[in-house]
PDB file of all heavy atoms in Angstrom:
ATOM      1  N   HIS A 806      -5.987  -1.175   7.484  1.00 51.00           N
ATOM      2  CA  HIS A 806      -6.941  -0.689   8.519  1.00 51.00           C
ATOM      3  C   HIS A 806      -6.507   0.579   9.090  1.00 51.00           C
ATOM      4  O   HIS A 806      -7.219   1.502   9.399  1.00 51.00           O
ATOM      5  CB  HIS A 806      -7.169  -1.775   9.593  1.00 51.00           C
ATOM      6  CG  HIS A 806      -8.220  -1.493  10.553  1.00 51.00           C
ATOM      7  ND1 HIS A 806      -8.050  -0.663  11.633  1.00 51.00           N
ATOM      8  CD2 HIS A 806      -9.542  -1.924  10.665  1.00 51.00           C
ATOM      9  CE1 HIS A 806      -9.190  -0.557  12.352  1.00 51.00           C
ATOM     10  NE2 HIS A 806     -10.058  -1.318  11.780  1.00 51.00           N
ATOM     11  N   PRO A 811      -6.404  -2.851  20.327  1.00 74.00           N
ATOM     12  CA  PRO A 811      -7.264  -3.855  20.935  1.00 74.00           C
ATOM     13  C   PRO A 811      -8.774  -3.533  20.973  1.00 74.00           C
ATOM     14  O   PRO A 811      -9.599  -4.400  20.862  1.00 74.00           O
ATOM     15  CB  PRO A 811      -6.685  -3.984  22.348  1.00 74.00           C
ATOM     16  CG  PRO A 811      -5.313  -3.578  22.273  1.00 74.00           C
ATOM     17  CD  PRO A 811      -5.316  -2.487  21.166  1.00 74.00           C
ATOM     18  N   ASN A 819     -10.275 -17.065  22.373  1.00 83.00           N
ATOM     19  CA  ASN A 819      -8.837 -16.734  22.041  1.00 83.00           C
ATOM     20  C   ASN A 819      -8.559 -16.586  20.528  1.00 83.00           C
ATOM     21  O   ASN A 819      -7.475 -16.774  20.049  1.00 83.00           O
ATOM     22  CB  ASN A 819      -7.901 -17.751  22.638  1.00 83.00           C
ATOM     23  CG  ASN A 819      -7.832 -17.666  24.156  1.00 83.00           C
ATOM     24  OD1 ASN A 819      -7.954 -16.563  24.693  1.00 83.00           O
ATOM     25  ND2 ASN A 819      -7.780 -18.799  24.802  1.00 83.00           N
ATOM     26  N   GLY A 833     -14.419   0.033  -3.380  1.00 75.00           N
ATOM     27  CA  GLY A 833     -14.216   0.470  -4.763  1.00 75.00           C
ATOM     28  C   GLY A 833     -13.521  -0.644  -5.497  1.00 75.00           C
ATOM     29  O   GLY A 833     -13.744  -1.883  -5.235  1.00 75.00           O
ATOM     30  N   PRO A 835     -11.256  -3.390  -6.714  1.00 83.00           N
ATOM     31  CA  PRO A 835     -10.327  -4.279  -6.049  1.00 83.00           C
ATOM     32  C   PRO A 835      -8.929  -4.225  -6.538  1.00 83.00           C
ATOM     33  O   PRO A 835      -7.969  -4.509  -5.880  1.00 83.00           O
ATOM     34  CB  PRO A 835     -10.874  -5.709  -6.250  1.00 83.00           C
ATOM     35  CG  PRO A 835     -11.845  -5.523  -7.433  1.00 83.00           C
ATOM     36  CD  PRO A 835     -12.336  -4.148  -7.406  1.00 83.00           C
ATOM     37  N   MET A 841      -2.490  -1.215  -3.397  1.00 84.00           N
ATOM     38  CA  MET A 841      -1.996  -0.825  -2.037  1.00 84.00           C
ATOM     39  C   MET A 841      -1.219  -1.962  -1.330  1.00 84.00           C
ATOM     40  O   MET A 841      -0.210  -1.709  -0.710  1.00 84.00           O
ATOM     41  CB  MET A 841      -3.221  -0.465  -1.207  1.00 84.00           C
ATOM     42  CG  MET A 841      -3.791   0.907  -1.542  1.00 84.00           C
ATOM     43  SD  MET A 841      -2.688   2.274  -1.103  1.00 84.00           S
ATOM     44  CE  MET A 841      -2.839   2.260   0.687  1.00 84.00           C
ATOM     45  N   GLU A 847       6.240  -7.098   1.507  1.00 80.00           N
ATOM     46  CA  GLU A 847       7.686  -7.449   1.295  1.00 80.00           C
ATOM     47  C   GLU A 847       7.747  -8.159  -0.073  1.00 80.00           C
ATOM     48  O   GLU A 847       6.809  -8.877  -0.419  1.00 80.00           O
ATOM     49  CB  GLU A 847       8.176  -8.355   2.360  1.00 80.00           C
ATOM     50  CG  GLU A 847       8.233  -7.615   3.766  1.00 80.00           C
ATOM     51  CD  GLU A 847       9.128  -6.491   3.774  1.00 80.00           C
ATOM     52  OE1 GLU A 847      10.234  -6.552   3.171  1.00 80.00           O
ATOM     53  OE2 GLU A 847       8.806  -5.479   4.458  1.00 80.00           O
ATOM     54  N   ALA A 862      -4.496  -9.452 -10.663  1.00 87.00           N
ATOM     55  CA  ALA A 862      -3.335  -8.783 -10.180  1.00 87.00           C
ATOM     56  C   ALA A 862      -2.378  -8.322 -11.304  1.00 87.00           C
ATOM     57  O   ALA A 862      -1.572  -7.452 -11.164  1.00 87.00           O
ATOM     58  CB  ALA A 862      -2.541  -9.742  -9.291  1.00 87.00           C
ATOM     59  N   ASN A 863      -2.648  -8.964 -12.514  1.00 87.00           N
ATOM     60  CA  ASN A 863      -1.813  -8.511 -13.640  1.00 87.00           C
ATOM     61  C   ASN A 863      -2.541  -7.534 -14.597  1.00 87.00           C
ATOM     62  O   ASN A 863      -2.005  -7.165 -15.639  1.00 87.00           O
ATOM     63  CB  ASN A 863      -1.442  -9.798 -14.452  1.00 87.00           C
ATOM     64  CG  ASN A 863      -0.474 -10.615 -13.724  1.00 87.00           C
ATOM     65  OD1 ASN A 863       0.492 -10.204 -13.157  1.00 87.00           O
ATOM     66  ND2 ASN A 863      -0.795 -11.958 -13.759  1.00 87.00           N
ATOM     67  N   MET A 866      -4.539  -1.877 -14.929  1.00 91.00           N
ATOM     68  CA  MET A 866      -5.070  -0.815 -14.002  1.00 91.00           C
ATOM     69  C   MET A 866      -4.325  -0.840 -12.645  1.00 91.00           C
ATOM     70  O   MET A 866      -4.218   0.179 -12.025  1.00 91.00           O
ATOM     71  CB  MET A 866      -6.559  -0.967 -13.881  1.00 91.00           C
ATOM     72  CG  MET A 866      -7.168   0.211 -13.245  1.00 91.00           C
ATOM     73  SD  MET A 866      -7.084   1.628 -14.356  1.00 91.00           S
ATOM     74  CE  MET A 866      -7.564   2.843 -13.313  1.00 91.00           C
ATOM     75  N   ILE A 875       1.700   6.173  -5.354  1.00 83.00           N
ATOM     76  CA  ILE A 875       3.094   6.588  -5.150  1.00 83.00           C
ATOM     77  C   ILE A 875       3.234   8.119  -5.318  1.00 83.00           C
ATOM     78  O   ILE A 875       3.816   8.826  -4.465  1.00 83.00           O
ATOM     79  CB  ILE A 875       4.094   5.815  -5.952  1.00 83.00           C
ATOM     80  CG1 ILE A 875       4.173   4.362  -5.337  1.00 83.00           C
ATOM     81  CG2 ILE A 875       5.490   6.497  -5.901  1.00 83.00           C
ATOM     82  CD1 ILE A 875       5.041   3.431  -6.160  1.00 83.00           C
ATOM     83  N   LEU A 905       8.332   0.947  -6.673  1.00 74.00           N
ATOM     84  CA  LEU A 905       7.546   0.806  -7.868  1.00 74.00           C
ATOM     85  C   LEU A 905       8.328  -0.038  -8.862  1.00 74.00           C
ATOM     86  O   LEU A 905       7.713  -0.918  -9.572  1.00 74.00           O
ATOM     87  CB  LEU A 905       7.266   2.215  -8.516  1.00 74.00           C
ATOM     88  CG  LEU A 905       6.504   2.202  -9.777  1.00 74.00           C
ATOM     89  CD1 LEU A 905       5.158   1.621  -9.568  1.00 74.00           C
ATOM     90  CD2 LEU A 905       6.370   3.602 -10.294  1.00 74.00           C
ATOM     91  N   ASP A 907      10.412  -2.435  -8.222  1.00 75.00           N
ATOM     92  CA  ASP A 907      10.361  -3.851  -7.775  1.00 75.00           C
ATOM     93  C   ASP A 907       9.029  -4.438  -8.074  1.00 75.00           C
ATOM     94  O   ASP A 907       8.929  -5.588  -8.499  1.00 75.00           O
ATOM     95  CB  ASP A 907      10.642  -3.892  -6.229  1.00 75.00           C
ATOM     96  CG  ASP A 907      12.009  -3.591  -5.866  1.00 75.00           C
ATOM     97  OD1 ASP A 907      12.896  -3.489  -6.734  1.00 75.00           O
ATOM     98  OD2 ASP A 907      12.267  -3.175  -4.651  1.00 75.00           O
ATOM     99  N   LYS A 913       3.866  -9.686 -14.260  1.00 55.00           N
ATOM    100  CA  LYS A 913       4.188 -10.203 -15.624  1.00 55.00           C
ATOM    101  C   LYS A 913       3.345  -9.448 -16.639  1.00 55.00           C
ATOM    102  O   LYS A 913       2.318  -9.094 -16.536  1.00 55.00           O
ATOM    103  CB  LYS A 913       3.931 -11.660 -15.779  1.00 55.00           C
ATOM    104  CG  LYS A 913       4.788 -12.401 -14.750  1.00 55.00           C
ATOM    105  CD  LYS A 913       4.471 -13.881 -14.755  1.00 55.00           C
ATOM    106  CE  LYS A 913       5.359 -14.552 -13.773  1.00 55.00           C
ATOM    107  NZ  LYS A 913       4.937 -15.853 -13.351  1.00 55.00           N
TER     108      LYS A 913
END
Side-chain angles (χ1 to χ4, degrees):
H806 188 280
N819 292 324
M841 284 293 286
E847 295 297 322
N863 293 315
M866 195 65 194
I875 287 173
L905 180 62
D907 293 345
K913 296 175 182 163

